[in-house]
Amino acid sequence: MTRYVAAIDQGTTSSRCIVFDAAGAVVTQAQREHEQRFPRPGWVEHDAVEIWHNVQAVTRGALDAAGLSHADLAAIGITNQRETTLLWDAATGEPVGNAIVWQDTRTDRLVGRLASDGGQDRFRDRCGLPLATYFSAPKIRWMLDADPELQARAADGAVRFGTMDTWLIERLTGRHATDVTNASRTMLMNLRTLDWDDELLAAFDIPRAMLPQVLPSSHVYGEAAPFGGTPVASALGDQQAALFGQACFAPGEAKCTYGTGSFLLLNTGTTPTASERGLLTTVAYQIGDQPAVYALEGSIAVTGALVQWLRDNLGIIRHAAQVNELAAKVPDNGGCVIVPAFSGLFAPHWRPDARGVIAGLTGFVTKEHLARAALEATAWQVYDVVDAMNAGSAVDLAELKVDGGMTASELLMGFQSDVLGVPVSRPTVAETTCLGAAYAAGLAVGFWPDVDSLRANWRVDRRWEPTMTDSRRQAGLRQWRKAVARSLDWVDDQP
Ligand SMILES: Nc1ncnc2c1ncn2[C@@H]1O[C@H](COP(=O)(O)OP(=O)(O)O)[C@@H](O)[C@H]1O
Ligand SMILES: O=P(O)(O)OC[C@H](O)CO
């Protein structure tokens, strides 16, 4: 009997598999980290074969841990780190090199060259994205430039492109396909046609023959041969999957996922909404042949990664959670503000020339103040994104649903509610990314009847209400804005 749905989350630092029951509760899970490769400053790579082995191992591991087999599964859903770019040989299925990860900034000159002719927003109308190293198209261009043989082979379809969803779908089912949410992060998909766009392909000189077929997010992609032919029935980028798992199915509903970076997505309904304030327009999901649903997104590159930096580079904490113990020892930041622009600032600023600053240092500032400033930096970056959303759209965010590793920090969540001035709610199932992929897969095979049945599964675990006075909020905001201004225009040689 098929009582469960499995979700595979292929993330930036690890791959995990979680099996859910019909109530959306976690039945079993397994997780495995993969190596982060930093061959040069600013470069970040993953070995896609290592990832493929890990994905199989965690899926088997999760099933074994609960004494289940693939026969217990109605479907498998896939969710993944987005934008990370891989090329492989169509005949052998072997990667032509490592995957270039979304955080990698090696394409900054290429992006600068393209932006010098028409500006950073020259493709925004078609694909919803500004020109930035973050997205896949510049990474594909870089790979094709790096090996002169590849362009011709790509034009014949002998070399294939894929993000991590596509890589896993092809390995599992034999089909070269992606979903609309992942395709919407490449800079190559037209937001309205939901297909590859000839003008964008021409601008990046990327052959259509190397690209996967674009399919809905909740859709049967094929049968997973290593798992007894279980249907692979969904694919979504991880941030879109979290929106789905948080049951943000109505326009105006939003979630923020706090991990290595943080990503706030607002459901804007079935027509793409443009942002004049630096937010991305992206596809939220598409269920079968229904119209696609769109989102506005604020992507923040460094939030939890700053806590890791306090741990790994400064050594002032031993575990991420200790940042809270340290921060709780002081009543405020002691006048110190950190802007973690380690690889420039993403939304809403899109400033590749920014670099991190610690502002307001005096002899009074201690490691406790630094810990507090690190948590506050996350909340203020999210504030900037929400501010851009409220200013640029008719929607005034009334509540924020949250998930991800950093939501374990009560101090951060309380401060977040304070600076936003709206309640912040964390659900009982914290694994919303996997849950969203499972939901989308379950819908495609009739395991769940409709999205209303999914909404009924959402339960609040903890809710934070704002308590900060407006004058304190304004004072903190002034300080934050001054610190952000000081982080800009640091890198001199932007092309
Ligand atoms: N208790 C905590 N307080 C603050 N930050 C935390 C805590 N626990 C984990 N983190 C941070 O959260 C991030 C991990 O969250 P996770 O959702 O697993 O991220 P990802 O999916 O991006 O790998 C790490 O960057 C870590 O520093
Ligand atoms: O794998 P995560 O959770 O760090 O998410 C990465 C994002 O999808 C990048 O856009």
mmCIF file of all heavy atoms in Angstrom, residues 9 11-14 16 31 257-261 303-308 311 320-324 375 404-406 408-409 412, ligand 1:
data_model
loop_
_atom_site.group_PDB
_atom_site.id
_atom_site.type_symbol
_atom_site.label_atom_id
_atom_site.label_comp_id
_atom_site.label_asym_id
_atom_site.label_seq_id
_atom_site.Cartn_x
_atom_site.Cartn_y
_atom_site.Cartn_z
ATOM 1 N N ASP A 9 15.529 16.752 -1.056
ATOM 2 C CA ASP A 9 15.953 18.160 -1.067
ATOM 3 C C ASP A 9 17.451 18.199 -1.327
ATOM 4 O O ASP A 9 18.252 17.890 -0.443
ATOM 5 C CB ASP A 9 15.611 18.831 0.269
ATOM 6 C CG ASP A 9 16.139 20.275 0.351
ATOM 7 O OD1 ASP A 9 16.655 20.782 -0.660
ATOM 8 O OD2 ASP A 9 16.010 20.870 1.437
ATOM 9 N N GLY A 11 20.213 20.373 -1.448
ATOM 10 C CA GLY A 11 20.547 21.735 -1.031
ATOM 11 C C GLY A 11 21.991 22.121 -1.297
ATOM 12 O O GLY A 11 22.786 21.326 -1.815
ATOM 13 N N THR A 12 22.338 23.349 -0.921
ATOM 14 C CA THR A 12 23.681 23.870 -1.171
ATOM 15 C C THR A 12 24.743 23.101 -0.386
ATOM 16 O O THR A 12 25.828 22.829 -0.917
ATOM 17 C CB THR A 12 23.748 25.363 -0.780
ATOM 18 O OG1 THR A 12 22.674 26.050 -1.420
ATOM 19 C CG2 THR A 12 25.072 25.986 -1.195
ATOM 20 N N THR A 13 24.430 22.766 0.849
ATOM 21 C CA THR A 13 25.449 22.103 1.667
ATOM 22 C C THR A 13 25.178 20.612 1.868
ATOM 23 O O THR A 13 26.096 19.874 2.212
ATOM 24 C CB THR A 13 25.564 22.781 3.055
ATOM 25 O OG1 THR A 13 24.266 22.781 3.657
ATOM 26 C CG2 THR A 13 26.071 24.203 2.931
ATOM 27 N N SER A 14 23.937 20.185 1.669
ATOM 28 C CA SER A 14 23.643 18.766 1.902
ATOM 29 C C SER A 14 22.458 18.330 1.050
ATOM 30 O O SER A 14 21.746 19.156 0.481
ATOM 31 C CB SER A 14 23.305 18.539 3.389
ATOM 32 O OG SER A 14 22.047 19.100 3.685
ATOM 33 N N ARG A 16 19.042 15.801 1.429
ATOM 34 C CA ARG A 16 18.272 15.044 2.416
ATOM 35 C C ARG A 16 17.040 14.443 1.757
ATOM 36 O O ARG A 16 16.611 14.898 0.698
ATOM 37 C CB ARG A 16 17.906 15.908 3.614
ATOM 38 C CG ARG A 16 16.909 16.979 3.377
ATOM 39 C CD ARG A 16 16.693 17.794 4.632
ATOM 40 N NE ARG A 16 17.523 18.985 4.604
ATOM 41 C CZ ARG A 16 17.587 19.896 5.580
ATOM 42 N NH1 ARG A 16 16.920 19.740 6.686
ATOM 43 N NH2 ARG A 16 18.341 20.962 5.462
ATOM 44 N N GLN A 31 20.097 12.491 5.880
ATOM 45 C CA GLN A 31 20.771 13.672 5.317
ATOM 46 C C GLN A 31 22.256 13.387 5.160
ATOM 47 O O GLN A 31 22.844 12.666 5.967
ATOM 48 C CB GLN A 31 20.561 14.840 6.281
ATOM 49 C CG GLN A 31 21.158 16.147 5.814
ATOM 50 C CD GLN A 31 20.686 17.333 6.660
ATOM 51 O OE1 GLN A 31 19.921 17.152 7.588
ATOM 52 N NE2 GLN A 31 21.141 18.520 6.332
ATOM 53 N N THR A 257 12.526 31.991 4.349
ATOM 54 C CA THR A 257 13.335 30.843 4.782
ATOM 55 C C THR A 257 14.717 31.352 5.181
ATOM 56 O O THR A 257 15.400 31.989 4.383
ATOM 57 C CB THR A 257 13.446 29.821 3.643
ATOM 58 O OG1 THR A 257 12.123 29.409 3.269
ATOM 59 C CG2 THR A 257 14.250 28.594 4.073
ATOM 60 N N TYR A 258 15.105 31.084 6.437
ATOM 61 C CA TYR A 258 16.365 31.589 6.994
ATOM 62 C C TYR A 258 17.374 30.447 7.058
ATOM 63 O O TYR A 258 17.318 29.612 7.958
ATOM 64 C CB TYR A 258 16.155 32.123 8.408
ATOM 65 C CG TYR A 258 15.230 33.308 8.528
ATOM 66 C CD1 TYR A 258 13.850 33.146 8.430
ATOM 67 C CD2 TYR A 258 15.732 34.587 8.763
ATOM 68 C CE1 TYR A 258 13.002 34.234 8.551
ATOM 69 C CE2 TYR A 258 14.880 35.680 8.881
ATOM 70 C CZ TYR A 258 13.523 35.494 8.770
ATOM 71 O OH TYR A 258 12.674 36.561 8.892
ATOM 72 N N GLY A 259 18.277 30.388 6.095
ATOM 73 C CA GLY A 259 19.334 29.379 6.116
ATOM 74 C C GLY A 259 20.675 30.062 5.940
ATOM 75 O O GLY A 259 20.914 31.119 6.527
ATOM 76 N N THR A 260 21.533 29.489 5.100
ATOM 77 C CA THR A 260 22.826 30.094 4.770
ATOM 78 C C THR A 260 22.592 31.519 4.272
ATOM 79 O O THR A 260 23.235 32.471 4.693
ATOM 80 C CB THR A 260 23.497 29.274 3.643
ATOM 81 O OG1 THR A 260 23.351 27.899 3.967
ATOM 82 C CG2 THR A 260 24.932 29.634 3.497
ATOM 83 N N GLY A 261 21.662 31.639 3.332
ATOM 84 C CA GLY A 261 21.108 32.933 2.926
ATOM 85 C C GLY A 261 19.641 32.931 3.331
ATOM 86 O O GLY A 261 19.164 31.955 3.913
ATOM 87 N N THR A 303 23.097 35.263 5.489
ATOM 88 C CA THR A 303 22.452 35.474 6.801
ATOM 89 C C THR A 303 23.032 34.443 7.782
ATOM 90 O O THR A 303 23.955 34.766 8.522
ATOM 91 C CB THR A 303 20.913 35.416 6.703
ATOM 92 O OG1 THR A 303 20.516 34.189 6.091
ATOM 93 C CG2 THR A 303 20.364 36.572 5.911
ATOM 94 N N GLY A 304 22.577 33.191 7.713
ATOM 95 C CA GLY A 304 23.171 32.155 8.578
ATOM 96 C C GLY A 304 24.665 31.990 8.318
ATOM 97 O O GLY A 304 25.424 31.606 9.219
ATOM 98 N N ALA A 305 25.101 32.292 7.102
ATOM 99 C CA ALA A 305 26.527 32.180 6.783
ATOM 100 C C ALA A 305 27.359 33.130 7.642
ATOM 101 O O ALA A 305 28.545 32.871 7.905
ATOM 102 C CB ALA A 305 26.765 32.472 5.301
ATOM 103 N N LEU A 306 26.763 34.225 8.121
ATOM 104 C CA LEU A 306 27.493 35.136 9.011
ATOM 105 C C LEU A 306 27.700 34.473 10.380
ATOM 106 O O LEU A 306 28.758 34.638 10.999
ATOM 107 C CB LEU A 306 26.715 36.458 9.156
ATOM 108 C CG LEU A 306 27.310 37.493 10.101
ATOM 109 C CD1 LEU A 306 28.721 37.911 9.685
ATOM 110 C CD2 LEU A 306 26.404 38.731 10.185
ATOM 111 N N VAL A 307 26.706 33.719 10.821
ATOM 112 C CA VAL A 307 26.853 32.973 12.085
ATOM 113 C C VAL A 307 27.969 31.930 11.922
ATOM 114 O O VAL A 307 28.814 31.752 12.812
ATOM 115 C CB VAL A 307 25.509 32.311 12.476
ATOM 116 C CG1 VAL A 307 25.669 31.426 13.700
ATOM 117 C CG2 VAL A 307 24.441 33.370 12.704
ATOM 118 N N GLN A 308 27.995 31.269 10.760
ATOM 119 C CA GLN A 308 29.079 30.311 10.498
ATOM 120 C C GLN A 308 30.437 31.012 10.496
ATOM 121 O O GLN A 308 31.426 30.457 10.957
ATOM 122 C CB GLN A 308 28.856 29.627 9.141
ATOM 123 C CG GLN A 308 27.695 28.666 9.162
ATOM 124 C CD GLN A 308 27.302 28.232 7.751
ATOM 125 O OE1 GLN A 308 26.496 28.859 7.096
ATOM 126 N NE2 GLN A 308 27.885 27.162 7.283
ATOM 127 N N ARG A 311 31.689 31.551 13.831
ATOM 128 C CA ARG A 311 32.170 30.263 14.351
ATOM 129 C C ARG A 311 33.512 29.870 13.709
ATOM 130 O O ARG A 311 34.489 29.623 14.428
ATOM 131 C CB ARG A 311 31.119 29.184 14.051
ATOM 132 C CG ARG A 311 31.435 27.812 14.604
ATOM 133 C CD ARG A 311 30.525 26.760 13.988
ATOM 134 N NE ARG A 311 30.760 26.651 12.546
ATOM 135 C CZ ARG A 311 29.961 25.987 11.695
ATOM 136 N NH1 ARG A 311 28.863 25.418 12.127
ATOM 137 N NH2 ARG A 311 30.257 25.930 10.403
ATOM 138 N N ALA A 320 26.563 26.963 15.989
ATOM 139 C CA ALA A 320 25.700 28.065 15.539
ATOM 140 C C ALA A 320 24.769 28.536 16.657
ATOM 141 O O ALA A 320 24.600 29.741 16.870
ATOM 142 C CB ALA A 320 24.893 27.620 14.315
ATOM 143 N N ALA A 321 24.198 27.599 17.406
ATOM 144 C CA ALA A 321 23.205 27.973 18.413
ATOM 145 C C ALA A 321 23.799 28.866 19.504
ATOM 146 O O ALA A 321 23.080 29.637 20.153
ATOM 147 C CB ALA A 321 22.589 26.726 19.023
ATOM 148 N N GLN A 322 25.137 28.770 19.704
ATOM 149 C CA GLN A 322 25.770 29.568 20.760
ATOM 150 C C GLN A 322 25.715 31.070 20.492
ATOM 151 O O GLN A 322 25.903 31.870 21.404
ATOM 152 C CB GLN A 322 27.239 29.151 20.926
ATOM 153 C CG GLN A 322 27.387 27.948 21.831
ATOM 154 C CD GLN A 322 28.850 27.581 22.000
ATOM 155 O OE1 GLN A 322 29.691 27.963 21.179
ATOM 156 N NE2 GLN A 322 29.146 26.851 23.051
ATOM 157 N N VAL A 323 25.461 31.443 19.256
ATOM 158 C CA VAL A 323 25.366 32.878 18.944
ATOM 159 C C VAL A 323 24.262 33.508 19.801
ATOM 160 O O VAL A 323 24.362 34.665 20.216
ATOM 161 C CB VAL A 323 25.117 33.101 17.428
ATOM 162 C CG1 VAL A 323 23.726 32.691 16.998
ATOM 163 C CG2 VAL A 323 25.394 34.536 17.041
ATOM 164 N N ASN A 324 23.245 32.717 20.099
ATOM 165 C CA ASN A 324 22.117 33.246 20.886
ATOM 166 C C ASN A 324 22.484 33.432 22.351
ATOM 167 O O ASN A 324 22.105 34.420 22.968
ATOM 168 C CB ASN A 324 20.918 32.307 20.750
ATOM 169 C CG ASN A 324 20.496 32.190 19.305
ATOM 170 O OD1 ASN A 324 20.005 33.143 18.725
ATOM 171 N ND2 ASN A 324 20.731 31.033 18.704
ATOM 172 N N LEU A 375 22.962 38.650 14.424
ATOM 173 C CA LEU A 375 21.546 38.261 14.313
ATOM 174 C C LEU A 375 20.713 39.421 13.773
ATOM 175 O O LEU A 375 19.840 39.246 12.917
ATOM 176 C CB LEU A 375 21.021 37.810 15.675
ATOM 177 C CG LEU A 375 21.650 36.519 16.226
ATOM 178 C CD1 LEU A 375 21.168 36.251 17.643
ATOM 179 C CD2 LEU A 375 21.307 35.330 15.323
ATOM 180 N N GLY A 404 13.333 27.349 8.263
ATOM 181 C CA GLY A 404 14.775 27.289 8.054
ATOM 182 C C GLY A 404 15.546 27.269 9.374
ATOM 183 O O GLY A 404 15.002 27.565 10.443
ATOM 184 N N GLY A 405 16.837 26.899 9.281
ATOM 185 C CA GLY A 405 17.681 26.660 10.454
ATOM 186 C C GLY A 405 17.754 27.820 11.431
ATOM 187 O O GLY A 405 17.778 27.617 12.652
ATOM 188 N N MET A 406 17.780 29.061 10.916
ATOM 189 C CA MET A 406 17.928 30.210 11.821
ATOM 190 C C MET A 406 16.674 30.516 12.621
ATOM 191 O O MET A 406 16.719 31.305 13.573
ATOM 192 C CB MET A 406 18.309 31.465 11.033
ATOM 193 C CG MET A 406 19.735 31.529 10.591
ATOM 194 S SD MET A 406 20.115 33.193 10.005
ATOM 195 C CE MET A 406 20.959 33.887 11.420
ATOM 196 N N ALA A 408 15.417 28.719 14.604
ATOM 197 C CA ALA A 408 15.639 28.185 15.966
ATOM 198 C C ALA A 408 16.025 29.313 16.917
ATOM 199 O O ALA A 408 15.937 29.160 18.136
ATOM 200 C CB ALA A 408 16.736 27.127 15.939
ATOM 201 N N SER A 409 16.451 30.445 16.386
ATOM 202 C CA SER A 409 16.865 31.574 17.230
ATOM 203 C C SER A 409 15.645 32.407 17.628
ATOM 204 O O SER A 409 15.117 33.198 16.849
ATOM 205 C CB SER A 409 17.869 32.458 16.467
ATOM 206 O OG SER A 409 18.082 33.646 17.208
ATOM 207 N N LEU A 412 16.351 36.132 17.382
ATOM 208 C CA LEU A 412 16.237 36.673 16.024
ATOM 209 C C LEU A 412 14.778 36.825 15.625
ATOM 210 O O LEU A 412 14.373 37.854 15.068
ATOM 211 C CB LEU A 412 16.973 35.770 15.024
ATOM 212 C CG LEU A 412 16.719 36.070 13.552
ATOM 213 C CD1 LEU A 412 17.164 37.477 13.185
ATOM 214 C CD2 LEU A 412 17.429 35.052 12.656
HETATM 215 N N1 LIG B 1 20.174 28.238 16.692
HETATM 216 C C1 LIG B 1 20.626 28.960 15.657
HETATM 217 N N2 LIG B 1 20.704 30.306 15.751
HETATM 218 C C2 LIG B 1 21.149 31.050 14.701
HETATM 219 N N3 LIG B 1 21.534 30.535 13.535
HETATM 220 C C3 LIG B 1 21.476 29.206 13.374
HETATM 221 C C4 LIG B 1 21.019 28.351 14.424
HETATM 222 N N4 LIG B 1 21.075 27.078 13.983
HETATM 223 C C5 LIG B 1 21.537 27.128 12.707
HETATM 224 N N5 LIG B 1 21.777 28.408 12.337
HETATM 225 C C6 LIG B 1 22.267 28.878 11.031
HETATM 226 O O1 LIG B 1 21.337 28.423 10.068
HETATM 227 C C7 LIG B 1 21.989 27.933 8.890
HETATM 228 C C8 LIG B 1 21.526 26.516 8.597
HETATM 229 O O2 LIG B 1 20.174 26.523 8.261
HETATM 230 P P1 LIG B 1 19.601 25.543 7.126
HETATM 231 O O3 LIG B 1 18.149 25.879 6.995
HETATM 232 O O4 LIG B 1 19.979 24.149 7.446
HETATM 233 O O5 LIG B 1 20.436 26.130 5.908
HETATM 234 P P2 LIG B 1 20.696 25.645 4.395
HETATM 235 O O6 LIG B 1 19.452 24.936 3.950
HETATM 236 O O7 LIG B 1 20.956 26.950 3.670
HETATM 237 O O8 LIG B 1 21.924 24.773 4.426
HETATM 238 C C9 LIG B 1 23.477 27.972 9.161
HETATM 239 O O9 LIG B 1 24.029 29.037 8.407
HETATM 240 C C10 LIG B 1 23.610 28.260 10.659
HETATM 241 O O10 LIG B 1 24.661 29.163 10.903
#
